[in-house]
Amino acid sequence: MRVTLVNTAPTGSRGSMARYAGLLMRALSTYQPQFELVRTDLALPASRLARIPAFLRNRVYHVAVAFAARRLAARDEADTIFHVTDGSHAYVANWLPPERTVVTAHDVIPLLQLHGRLGERLPGREGRDGEQGDYGGSGGLEQCFFLH
């Protein structure tokens, strides 16, 4: 079985989505003997996007991501699970097999880190000081099956 992390952040970017994709790669790599872990980047490199006029950049970015998602689906193998790492770009799941595609809900990631369920300590002051911050009512999420 293969797990393909579908990253929509521009290659070479330093934003939070690139950090999340790296975090997931490190966290899931501990399970690699059980499955193959692959990361695929759908977006154009940040250096190429920077050369596109600002008024067109967002459109070009999303069109390129959509075409790359279609190409990825065309190369699909039956034993692949697709994990779209950016929920705000979940539209790419439209071109992937729905029964084998999951999308990250990023609001859950700090909570998973807080409970030691996602490989690394919580980023920021809470991770350094060991304090538990308030994440805007995330306490209800503690009842989810993945936290028990």
Side-chain angles (χ1 to χ4, degrees):
M1 177 172 57
R2 172 184 298 144
V3 174
T4 299
L5 295 182
V6 181
N7 182 36
T8 56
T11 306
S13 69
R14 292 186 163 134
S16 63
M17 294 303 107
R19 288 193 305 273
Y20 280 133
L23 170 70
L24 289 171
M25 284 293 290
R26 289 188 303 277
L28 292 174
S29 68
T30 61
Y31 298 100
Q32 273 197 298
Q34 298 170 15
F35 58 83
E36 178 185 0
L37 181 61
V38 177
R39 176 178 168 170
T40 186
D41 297 312
L42 298 184
L44 295 172
S47 59
R48 286 186 61 196
L49 283 172
R51 292 185 294 211
I52 297 171
F55 73 96
L56 289 175
R57 193 171 299 141
N58 197 37
R59 288 187 181 132
V60 169
Y61 165 80
H62 286 286
V63 168
V65 166
F67 277 115
R70 290 178 183 177
R71 284 192 306 272
L72 178 63
R75 298 188 316 258
D76 177 31
E77 296 180 20
D79 67 340
T80 301
I81 296 173
F82 296 98
H83 182 165
V84 180
T85 60
D86 184 355
S88 67
H89 291 84
Y91 66 87
V92 302
N94 288 320
W95 295 288
L96 301 173
E99 66 280 357
R100 293 182 285 116
T101 301
V102 296
V103 178
T104 296
H106 290 282
D107 296 340
V108 175
I109 289 176
L111 181 63
L112 292 173
Q113 287 177 309
L114 185 66
H115 288 279
R117 302 285 178 130
L118 191 58
E120 294 182 6
R121 295 201 41 122
L122 187 67
R125 187 180 69 145
E126 289 82 6
R128 288 189 302 274
D129 298 340
E131 297 175 13
Q132 295 185 4
D134 180 13
Y135 295 98
S138 64
L141 292 174
E142 292 177 13
Q143 302 307 312
C144 293
F145 70 94
F146 54 81
L147 294 177
H148 292 291

